[in-house]
Amino acid sequence: MKFSCSKEHLERAVGIAERFTGKNVTLPVLGHVLLEAGDNALIVTATNLEHAAQFQVPARVTKPGRVSVPAKVFSSLLQAFGEEKIEGEGERGHLHLRTDTRQSRLNGSNADDFPLIPKIKKSESVTVESSTLARGLSRVLPAVSTSEFKPELSGVYVGIGKDTLTLCATDTFRLAECVVPLAKEHSGQKTAFIVPHRAAQELTRILEGEDGNTTLSLGDNQLLIETAGGKMISRLVEGIFPEYRAIIPGQFAISSYLSRDEISRSVRAASIFASKLQEVTLGFSSGRIEVAAANPEVGEYRTGFAASQNGKDISMSFNWRYLLDGVQALDDEEVFFGCNQESSPALLRNKSNPAFTYVVMPIRLT
């Protein structure tokens, strides 16, 4: 094989593909990326047998071919190159790289030993604007559970509707739901599935700065994700996501509109004084909110600012990290906070757009 391409495009593709590689003593080829040159493109492929990624790099190909090389070494080498253009040549299982001032040889392995990427028999497909999907995933990802006891909570729930895609995640302490519009109306059946946390996280990174649309296709307990620059395949989480909508409050005895920047700064400062329970206390009284925290080993902190309020005075304690994750996922300068009593879940959302909902459980201190 023989090709030439942009170093920037190749570096990005290999950098992303490296995160899809795996470590396996019996299958060392899983730590490699496969390069395939042909049809004026260089295809970069990686897999750990659970997930796979394949990216297309525009290239001038003078001799088609395939080579498999260690992903980490290849990625590090490309980062060290300063030139804009790279020439590559595969020969006897090795990859020779050349620029105007550098040359290198990477020892590879037999490309025929690289695992085959499965072909998905599509049963349902939907199309979403890439930037919209990336933003929606980034909002719900912090709420994914890291516990292994409930695998159905270890990923992002995706519900396909007629013209919307519902993304949801929960670790039982908080819940995040984001509804995003489909680029094209879905004429198939309504369905739902759970995308593993790692796959959803990597997809968010891939879609950052991407233009155009992304297509999600289901098939054989696997998900195929196709973007402008490539595709990604992931196994789905087996299990049924809990029916969560019943825990989202619909009416509120106490409601308030807060400055997002004020509450974010106040909670962050109070967190320095949080105890081992990581709690900060929000007190609503007479059109004012007070944020406080105390730790016998560190000291105390208290601050306050004006906030509109409907309902009785109330004081609630929250895990400051969970609370801050919800606030930072919002866009409006003024955000809604609603609750019913000290021990019931509180809800956060934008003032202008209800598409994103964040529910957080309070900490019971007594």
Side-chain angles (χ1 to χ4, degrees):
M1 66 181 288
K2 198 170 184 179
F3 66 89
S4 62
C5 66
S6 159
K7 176 254 185 183
E8 180 185 357
H9 292 158
L10 182 58
E11 182 183 354
R12 181 178 185 272
V14 174
I16 296 174
E18 183 190 358
R19 299 198 294 267
F20 287 82
T21 58
K23 294 181 180 180
N24 191 305
V25 176
T26 58
L27 280 175
V29 73
L30 295 182
H32 288 212
V33 292
L34 177 68
L35 305 180
E36 299 175 277
D39 296 329
N40 293 321
L42 184 68
I43 307 298
V44 182
T45 305
T47 181
N48 58 14
L49 301 183
E50 289 291 325
H51 315 100
Q54 196 169 69
F55 299 96
Q56 184 170 296
V57 179
R60 181 174 176 267
V61 177
T62 53
K63 185 179 180 182
R66 306 162 75 229
V67 66
S68 169
V69 293
K72 187 175 181 179
V73 177
F74 191 19
S75 179
S76 298
L77 183 61
L78 291 174
Q79 291 175 30
F81 281 5
E83 290 81 358
E84 294 182 359
K85 184 180 177 181
I86 288 181
E87 294 182 354
E89 184 174 357
E91 185 181 18
R92 297 178 182 177
H94 304 312
L95 178 64
H96 299 266
L97 295 174
R98 299 182 184 86
T99 68
D100 292 339
T101 59
R102 307 166 193 254
Q103 62 179 14
S104 177
R105 187 195 76 214
L106 286 179
N107 293 336
S109 63
N110 189 345
D112 293 336
D113 293 336
F114 197 86
L116 294 174
I117 304 303
K119 293 184 178 180
I120 305 297
K121 186 178 179 181
K122 302 177 183 179
S123 59
E124 295 287 343
S125 294
V126 292
T127 304
V128 192
E129 186 181 15
S130 297
S131 58
T132 301
L133 179 58
R135 177 59 175 155
L137 286 171
S138 67
R139 284 173 153 178
V140 304
L141 274 170
V144 173
S145 174
T146 57
S147 172
E148 297 180 356
F149 295 106
K150 293 185 177 181
E152 66 273 14
L153 301 184
S154 64
V156 176
Y157 165 90
V158 180
I160 300 175
K162 182 179 179 181
D163 50 17
T164 59
L165 198 70
T166 300
L167 310 172
C168 184
T170 181
D171 57 8
T172 71
F173 301 107
R174 61 318 193 14
L175 180 145
E177 182 195 61
C178 188
V179 180
V180 299
L182 295 177
K184 300 176 183 177
E185 187 174 290
H186 176 57
S187 57
Q189 295 182 347
K190 291 185 178 180
T191 188
F193 51 92
I194 306 172
V195 181
H197 178 262
R198 182 178 174 185
Q201 198 171 44
E202 293 300 340
L203 177 59
T204 305
R205 292 173 177 171
I206 291 170
L207 295 180
E208 286 178 358
E210 280 260 356
D211 295 324
N213 294 330
T214 295
T215 300
L216 310 179
S217 301
L218 283 174
D220 299 326
N221 200 40
Q222 291 183 312
L223 178 68
L224 170 63
I225 302 158
E226 297 172 287
T227 71
K231 64 182 180 181
M232 171 181 155
I233 297 172
S234 172
R235 292 185 184 274
L236 298 176
V237 176
E238 295 185 6
I240 300 175
F241 199 79
E243 180 48 60
Y244 63 88
R245 288 180 176 83
I247 70 169
I248 299 178
Q251 297 180 335
F252 306 96
I254 303 101
S255 60
S256 178
Y257 286 100
L258 318 173
S259 164
R260 186 193 60 185
D261 291 341
E262 287 281 8
I263 190 66
S264 181
R265 283 195 297 266
S266 299
V267 170
R268 193 179 295 279
S271 71
I272 300 169
F273 296 84
S275 71
K276 292 180 180 179
L277 291 177
Q278 301 290 303
E279 86 279 3
V280 298
T281 300
L282 304 187
F284 294 86
S285 177
S286 304
R288 182 175 175 81
I289 178 173
E290 186 176 83
V291 182
N295 186 328
E297 298 178 2
V298 181
E300 297 182 1
Y301 179 85
R302 194 176 301 273
T303 187
F305 55 91
S308 64
Q309 177 186 345
N310 290 319
K312 65 178 183 179
D313 295 348
I314 194 171
S315 179
M316 306 176 73
S317 295
F318 298 95
N319 178 300
W320 71 267
R321 295 181 187 275
Y322 297 168
L323 184 61
L324 199 58
D325 282 343
V327 172
Q328 292 180 333
L330 299 170
D331 299 314
D332 289 356
E333 293 182 4
E334 199 172 30
V335 300
F336 173 83
F337 178 97
C339 62
N340 287 300
Q341 54 187 9
E342 288 83 353
S343 59
S344 65
L347 182 143
L348 290 165
R349 67 177 173 222
N350 285 312
K351 183 178 181 180
S352 62
N353 186 353
F356 175 70
T357 300
Y358 190 85
V359 179
V360 57
M361 291 295 297
I363 296 176
R364 298 183 183 182
L365 300 177
T366 57

